[in-house]
């Protein structure tokens, strides 16, 4: 059974940093493209960023609102995905989901349950 | 910046058919955007319904179908049921490597 378990969410002050983790199991993590998606309270879903598998270059892409502030990384030895978030502002307050992203067809297949990040003074 | 458009809300009668659409602020949606669709109920993680325009994800009932209608991607629900009342999101894959969500459609079944 595929499982994605996010952790690391919490309350952080504006301008602060936070690192989210996503522990994966039940599938070949090192073969997967992985993505972060977020959802602000009462708002829609927003694609945040993606990392390809290492054999595809391990490259990353980011949505414009987070580019230069957020970094997606992975540790295949630990089956874990990360999202380093710097220079946080109140608009980054959201539930953050990790998902798999299919190579070739690009859809978001499996989803975690999400972790809440609140940016507030 | 490219905006992906969806109807903010829609309503359908139980047993009825409804088609939700997913368009672009500039240009037409084609299969090259690999449109996918997701269903989300309050407090839950999204569930994948359709990918690559018209392929149903595992376990999705066949009353859900995807297509290209004109210049938009479309999600059709045939024989709507009460538990189809949810938010529906489309995602388009952009050639730049990023994906973009539509704003979502709140579907009411009444």
């Amino acid at each position: 059974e595929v499982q994605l378990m996010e952790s690391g969410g919490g309350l952080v002050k504006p301008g602060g940093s936070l690192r989210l983790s996503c522990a994966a199991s039940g599938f070949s993590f090192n073969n997967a493209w992985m993505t972060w998606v977020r959802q602000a309270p009462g708002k829609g879903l927003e694609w945040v960023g993606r990392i390809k598998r290492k054999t595809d270059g391990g490259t990353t892409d980011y949505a414009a609102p987070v580019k230069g502030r957020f970094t997606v990384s992975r540790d295949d030895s630990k089956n874990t995905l990360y999202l380093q978030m710097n220079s946080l502002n109140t608009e980054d307050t959201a539930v953050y989901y990790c998902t798999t992203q299919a190579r070739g067809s690009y859809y978001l297949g499996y989803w975690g349950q999400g972790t809440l990040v609140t940016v507030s003074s | 910046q490219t905006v992906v458009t969806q109807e903010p809300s829609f309503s359908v009668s139980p047993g009825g058919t409804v088609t939700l659409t997913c368009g672009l602020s500039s240009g037409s949606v084609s299969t090259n955007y690999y449109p996918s669709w997701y269903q989300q109920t309050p407090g839950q993680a999204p569930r994948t319904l359709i990918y690559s325009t018209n392929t149903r994800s595992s376990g999705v009932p066949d009353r859900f179908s995807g297509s290209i209608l004109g210049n938009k991607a479309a999600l059709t629900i045939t024989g709507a049921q009460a538990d189809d009342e949810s938010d529906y999101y489309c995602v388009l894959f952009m050639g730049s490597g990023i994906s973009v969500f539509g704003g979502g459609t709140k579907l009411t079944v009444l």
Side-chain angles (χ1 to χ4, degrees), chain B residues 34 40 48 64 71 82 96 102 105:
Chain B
Y34 297 90
Q40 187 183 36
T48 308
F64 291 92
N71 62 350
S96 57
T105 297

Side-chain angles (χ1 to χ4, degrees), chain A residues 8-71:
Chain A
L11 176 63
V12 60
K13 287 183 167 46
S17 297
L18 204 61
R19 188 177 83 156
L20 306 182
S21 300
C22 172
S25 62
F27 65 102
S28 180
F29 180 79
N30 65 321
N31 246 344
W33 290 16
M34 298 297 297
T35 291
W36 288 96
V37 172
R38 69 183 179 181
Q39 186 169 35
K43 303 295 186 183
L45 298 166
E46 181 181 22
W47 189 92
V48 171
R50 183 227 60 241
I51 187 166
K52 295 181 179 179
R53 63 179 181 175
K54 288 216 167 25
T55 51
D56 289 329
T59 54
T60 52
D61 282 293
Y62 300 95
V66 308
K67 196 169 185 177
R69 300 188 299 123
F70 288 14
T71 301

Side-chain angles (χ1 to χ4, degrees), chain A:
Chain A
E1 179 194 3
V2 171
Q3 287 197 340
L4 297 169
M5 182 85 64
E6 302 93 340
S7 61
L11 176 63
V12 60
K13 287 183 167 46
S17 297
L18 204 61
R19 188 177 83 156
L20 306 182
S21 300
C22 172
S25 62
F27 65 102
S28 180
F29 180 79
N30 65 321
N31 246 344
W33 290 16
M34 298 297 297
T35 291
W36 288 96
V37 172
R38 69 183 179 181
Q39 186 169 35
K43 303 295 186 183
L45 298 166
E46 181 181 22
W47 189 92
V48 171
R50 183 227 60 241
I51 187 166
K52 295 181 179 179
R53 63 179 181 175
K54 288 216 167 25
T55 51
D56 289 329
T59 54
T60 52
D61 282 293
Y62 300 95
V66 308
K67 196 169 185 177
R69 300 188 299 123
F70 288 14
T71 301
V72 181
S73 62
R74 62 192 301 158
D75 185 337
D76 291 344
S77 69
K78 295 181 179 179
N79 285 355
T80 301
L81 176 73
Y82 301 102
L83 180 65
Q84 176 68 43
M85 303 184 292
N86 298 331
S87 303
L88 285 161
N89 58 61
T90 56
E91 293 176 349
D92 297 316
T93 294
V95 173
Y96 285 75
Y97 297 99
C98 77
T99 82
T100 60
Q101 185 163 15
R103 304 186 318 273
S105 50
Y106 309 110
Y107 71 97
L108 308 174
Y110 297 102
W111 295 71
Q113 284 304 304
T115 186
L116 175 63
V117 173
T118 302
V119 184
S120 174
S121 54

